[in-house]
Amino acid sequence: MFSSGRRRQVFSTGLALLVVLLMGTAIAAVPVPSDPELLLNQADSIKTSDHAKFVSIMERLGDSTTKLSPEQQLYLRYLYAWQSAYRGDYDTAIPMLNAVIEKSTDVTLRFRAGATVVNMLGIGFRYEEAFARLSQLLDQLPQVTDKAARAQGLSVAAQLYIKAGQYDLASGYADQLIKESLTADSVCRGKYLKLEALFRSDKLDAPSNQFQDGIDACGESLFANGIRYFVANLEIQQGRPVDAIKLLQKNYAAVQRTHYPPLISEFDASLAQAYWKEGELTLSQQFALDAVNSSVKNEYTEPLTIAYKVLYLIAQKQGDMGAALAYHERYMGADKGYLSDVSAKALAYQIVSQQVLAKKLQIDTLNKQNQILELQQALGKKAAETSRLYIFVLLMVLASIALWTYKLKRSQLSFMKLARRDGLTGIFNRQHFVASAEQQLQYCQKSGRVASLIVIDLDNFKTVNDTHGHAVGDHVLKRAVAACQAHLRSTDVFGRLGGEEFGILMPECGKDVIAGRSELIRLAIASVSDSEDASGVVVSASFGVSTTLQSGYNLRQLLIHADKALYSAKREGRNRVVLFDDDTAESIKAPLTVSPLHRR
């Protein structure tokens, strides 16, 4: 039901958002001093361990700002910004932190403010800006001697690289954090980030001693329960949902007491999935609804995607097709939104990496040009023969620079091409498919031409993976794509929407034409089963079709109607084409064709 590869890449993003905000806290509070500098230091040290006292000290400091030096006032502004960030008010916090970075003469305070800004930019989906600021922050790291500030910087680096899928980089910074840690809290965070990087990179196939070591290091903190969440999901993936339920339920009350929505939502979603696998539909539905309610608002997250999928499967099993269709639509929307966010993070990292490389090349080029000018000045003092030699050397240097620039440009063009293509099949990825399809629809609308959208989903594809292995599954995907391409025109837009789902936008195809073309493609996919290298593998696909005549020229509306038609095809036995119409919208479905091929 759930793909283990994708699960490992996206688990537990919520808990990482607290890593930077939790740096530099003390275990126990001490009596409140009266000296402003001591008050600032104490407020900083207890801001998470005793948040109520932190607020009280901040009010006291706010009443006596005239007694603070300019640098102490900037320190107080940093704490006010941290307080806003803790409440989730990033629009207020980021400008305050930028002012601290610009005005403070304290290297450590500027570095801490920069690390907090990077963390909040990542939380606020401003990924390209976050990676650009992180690059600047890491350039400053060698000059920072304060251990707590260094730990904060290493934490935010590991956290952001995990978001971008750069797990080896993230693991390296987590190891450095553990090595440099002076407190148990820093060791805990380092081990948590290390385990998250390993977990998402598919390097942990089953629970191991590393998990228990991390839990022991973190005690009863949020991070300990984050690690338990990793363990529970590995148990589910390994077919031991009962063990996962025991672990999650044992720590569920502690997680609820944290009042931290991302972690609560992750526990709820995993319990819903585990109970579904055990056939406990009532409990599964309860925890799935709890996961939806506790999810971070206005964000597409993995727990939300899991919860909607479980609710869809439960409604389908109970025969409530109306609810099943509604949950299926929400699941598809959440899943596509989440995949788009994951792609945005990876693309932002690649773009910033290219920009940093280009800037370095520009600096190197300027240095070379300065050297050339110096050599030119020296040429006037040399003999003619020596001058010719120098000129030759200069030309070689310029040629090498030109060649380097040419190679960099080719690398950038190659990267932009890869960013638009699906890595397995070579067709458009979801993001570029959406952009190209919307452009084609605008052209069709302006020229008064009809267009149709086909959404294709391979039937029982998980069974192929489970029975024959992922290598065969990947081969089937590629063969199915090739079968589709044989029936497409140059003007058709073809892309992979995610997993085993594909989309085709066909301009100048009305209701009658699209029915015939869809049937040809369906038969072509079914013929993959008869190929020599797919012997014994049953391959078929269900088709949902919508047209601009019925749905208009809005791509989102076309996708919604095509998804409804696809759901009808699945419900009516799979391996068929269903065109969206008024009957389809009311769940009274009649497929365009009924295939004689074997269906599951």
Side-chain angles (χ1 to χ4, degrees):
M1 178 181 70
F2 297 92
S3 170
S4 61
R6 274 195 53 212
R7 295 283 289 147
R8 295 189 182 187
Q9 291 177 359
V10 295
F11 275 140
S12 192
T13 57
L15 186 55
L17 303 182
L18 280 184
V19 170
V20 171
L21 293 181
L22 291 174
M23 296 305 297
T25 60
I27 300 300
V30 295
V32 179
S34 58
D35 180 79
E37 186 68 27
L38 295 177
L39 280 172
L40 287 166
N41 290 333
Q42 185 184 9
D44 197 0
S45 68
I46 65 169
K47 56 183 180 289
T48 56
S49 60
D50 193 345
H51 194 68
K53 183 168 285 188
F54 166 76
V55 173
S56 174
I57 296 175
M58 291 295 290
E59 291 175 353
R60 184 173 172 181
L61 285 166
D63 294 336
S64 59
T65 53
T66 56
K67 299 179 182 179
L68 301 178
S69 69
E71 197 62 37
Q72 288 173 338
Q73 290 180 7
L74 289 171
Y75 193 0
L76 179 61
R77 182 176 293 188
Y78 167 77
L79 294 175
Y80 276 132
W82 185 94
Q83 190 175 18
S84 297
Y86 193 78
R87 294 194 304 263
D89 186 3
Y90 308 124
D91 292 337
T92 299
I94 291 177
M96 295 174 69
L97 291 167
N98 285 332
V100 172
I101 295 169
E102 180 182 351
K103 297 178 181 179
S104 177
T105 59
D106 186 337
V107 174
T108 299
L109 183 60
R110 290 203 308 271
F111 186 83
R112 293 181 65 192
T116 307
V117 167
V118 170
N119 190 57
M120 285 188 288
L121 289 172
I123 298 171
F125 309 105
R126 294 159 64 177
Y127 302 124
E128 190 170 337
E129 188 178 353
F131 282 109
R133 294 287 289 264
L134 177 62
S135 178
Q136 299 171 7
L137 195 73
L138 294 177
D139 287 341
Q140 301 168 21
L141 188 61
Q143 286 76 48
V144 178
T145 57
D146 183 85
K147 294 292 186 182
R150 288 182 61 83
Q152 186 179 2
L154 293 170
S155 294
V156 75
Q159 171 192 328
L160 202 56
Y161 283 133
I162 288 173
K163 286 173 177 280
Q166 300 299 313
Y167 302 121
D168 290 338
L169 273 175
S171 183
Y173 282 110
D175 285 334
Q176 190 175 348
L177 174 60
I178 296 170
K179 182 179 179 181
E180 293 188 14
S181 291
L182 295 177
T183 66
D185 284 348
S186 294
V187 173
C188 162
R189 292 180 192 105
K191 291 189 175 184
Y192 170 82
L193 291 167
K194 174 76 172 182
L195 285 169
E196 185 176 7
L198 292 172
F199 181 74
R200 294 194 189 183
S201 60
D202 285 337
K203 293 182 179 178
L204 294 173
D205 295 324
S208 66
N209 293 333
Q210 287 178 285
F211 288 100
Q212 191 58 50
D213 182 50
I215 292 171
D216 292 341
C218 292
E220 297 302 320
S221 67
L222 281 171
F223 298 103
N225 283 320
I227 295 171
R228 292 186 180 101
Y229 173 70
F230 296 150
V231 175
N233 281 284
L234 282 174
E235 298 286 12
I236 293 173
Q237 292 169 22
Q238 296 296 316
R240 296 185 293 274
V242 173
D243 293 337
I245 291 169
K246 289 179 182 178
L247 179 60
L248 293 168
Q249 287 287 20
K250 181 179 179 181
N251 297 278
Y252 190 77
V255 170
Q256 289 287 336
R257 286 194 297 270
T258 66
H259 301 291
Y260 186 56
L263 185 59
I264 295 172
S265 180
E266 288 169 346
F267 264 58
D268 286 334
S270 291
L271 281 166
Q273 184 186 0
Y275 277 122
W276 164 260
K277 287 182 175 289
E278 282 297 294
E280 297 283 351
L281 300 190
T282 301
L283 288 171
S284 179
Q285 183 180 48
Q286 172 192 326
F287 282 107
L289 291 171
D290 288 344
V292 171
N293 293 330
S294 59
S295 291
V296 179
K297 304 305 179 186
N298 302 319
E299 290 187 20
Y300 291 116
T301 63
E302 181 67 10
L304 185 64
T305 302
I306 295 170
Y308 279 139
K309 187 165 188 178
V310 169
L311 290 170
Y312 152 65
L313 292 171
I314 292 173
Q316 185 182 51
K317 189 174 183 67
Q318 293 174 339
D320 187 350
M321 293 307 162
L325 179 59
Y327 282 128
H328 185 266
E329 290 180 0
R330 294 176 189 175
Y331 159 64
M332 294 296 293
D335 188 53
K336 292 174 183 177
Y338 187 81
L339 287 174
S340 178
D341 186 53
V342 171
S343 298
K345 296 170 190 174
L347 184 60
Y349 167 76
Q350 296 292 347
I351 289 173
V352 171
S353 296
Q354 291 290 327
Q355 290 172 346
V356 171
L357 181 59
K359 186 175 181 180
K360 182 179 182 299
L361 176 59
Q362 184 180 13
I363 293 172
D364 289 344
T365 302
L366 289 173
N367 290 336
K368 294 292 184 184
Q369 290 175 345
N370 289 334
Q371 293 175 13
I372 291 171
L373 290 173
E374 292 174 0
L375 288 173
Q376 287 174 337
Q377 293 173 358
L379 282 176
K381 302 177 183 178
K382 303 292 183 179
E385 185 177 351
T386 306
S387 299
R388 287 193 295 270
L389 177 60
Y390 279 140
I391 291 173
F392 176 75
V393 171
L394 292 175
L395 290 174
M396 291 298 294
V397 170
L398 288 173
S400 67
I401 292 172
L403 180 60
W404 192 6
T405 303
Y406 171 74
K407 288 183 176 180
L408 177 62
K409 187 65 176 178
R410 286 192 61 183
S411 174
Q412 290 174 332
L413 291 174
S414 176
F415 163 71
M416 293 304 296
K417 181 179 179 181
L418 289 173
R420 296 170 180 166
R421 297 285 174 177
D422 174 62
L424 176 64
T425 61
I427 62 177
F428 286 164
N429 59 24
R430 193 192 69 81
Q431 187 175 6
H432 194 61
F433 170 82
V434 169
S436 299
E438 288 178 340
Q439 185 178 13
Q440 186 69 266
L441 284 171
Q442 289 177 3
Y443 170 78
C444 290
Q445 185 176 19
K446 289 179 181 179
S447 57
R449 304 181 184 187
V450 69
S452 297
L453 176 69
I454 306 173
V455 174
I456 305 170
D457 188 274
L458 297 186
D459 296 327
N460 301 311
F461 185 72
K462 182 180 185 300
T463 303
V464 175
N465 277 336
D466 292 344
T467 304
H468 302 281
H470 289 280
V472 173
D474 290 346
H475 182 72
V476 167
L477 285 174
K478 290 189 279 189
R479 288 298 302 271
V481 166
C484 294
Q485 289 174 321
H487 296 278
L488 298 183
R489 305 166 300 178
S490 61
T491 55
D492 296 336
V493 182
F494 186 25
R496 185 179 181 185
L497 302 180
E500 63 270 24
E501 187 175 356
F502 304 90
I504 306 174
L505 181 73
M506 293 186 171
E508 298 186 86
C509 278
K511 201 170 185 179
D512 296 333
V513 176
I514 197 64
R517 295 192 66 191
S518 299
E519 180 62 11
L520 286 175
I521 296 173
R522 184 191 68 77
L523 292 172
I525 292 175
S527 69
V528 172
S529 304
D530 301 327
S531 62
E532 293 181 1
D533 50 0
S535 178
V537 180
V538 177
V539 182
S540 66
S542 299
F543 289 62
V545 182
S546 59
T547 71
T548 55
L549 295 173
Q550 184 82 9
S551 308
Y553 290 89
N554 182 275
L555 179 61
R556 181 177 181 276
Q557 192 62 42
L558 283 165
L559 281 168
I560 290 173
H561 288 172
D563 277 340
K564 289 182 178 179
L566 175 63
Y567 180 76
S568 299
K570 292 286 187 180
R571 184 187 175 199
E572 293 298 323
R574 302 182 174 87
N575 193 22
R576 60 187 59 212
V577 178
V578 172
L579 181 68
F580 177 83
D581 55 22
D582 293 336
D583 290 336
T584 308
E586 297 173 5
S587 298
I588 306 174
K589 310 170 183 68
L592 295 177
T593 62
V594 179
S595 171
L597 297 176
H598 173 67
R599 303 190 192 100
R600 285 188 281 174

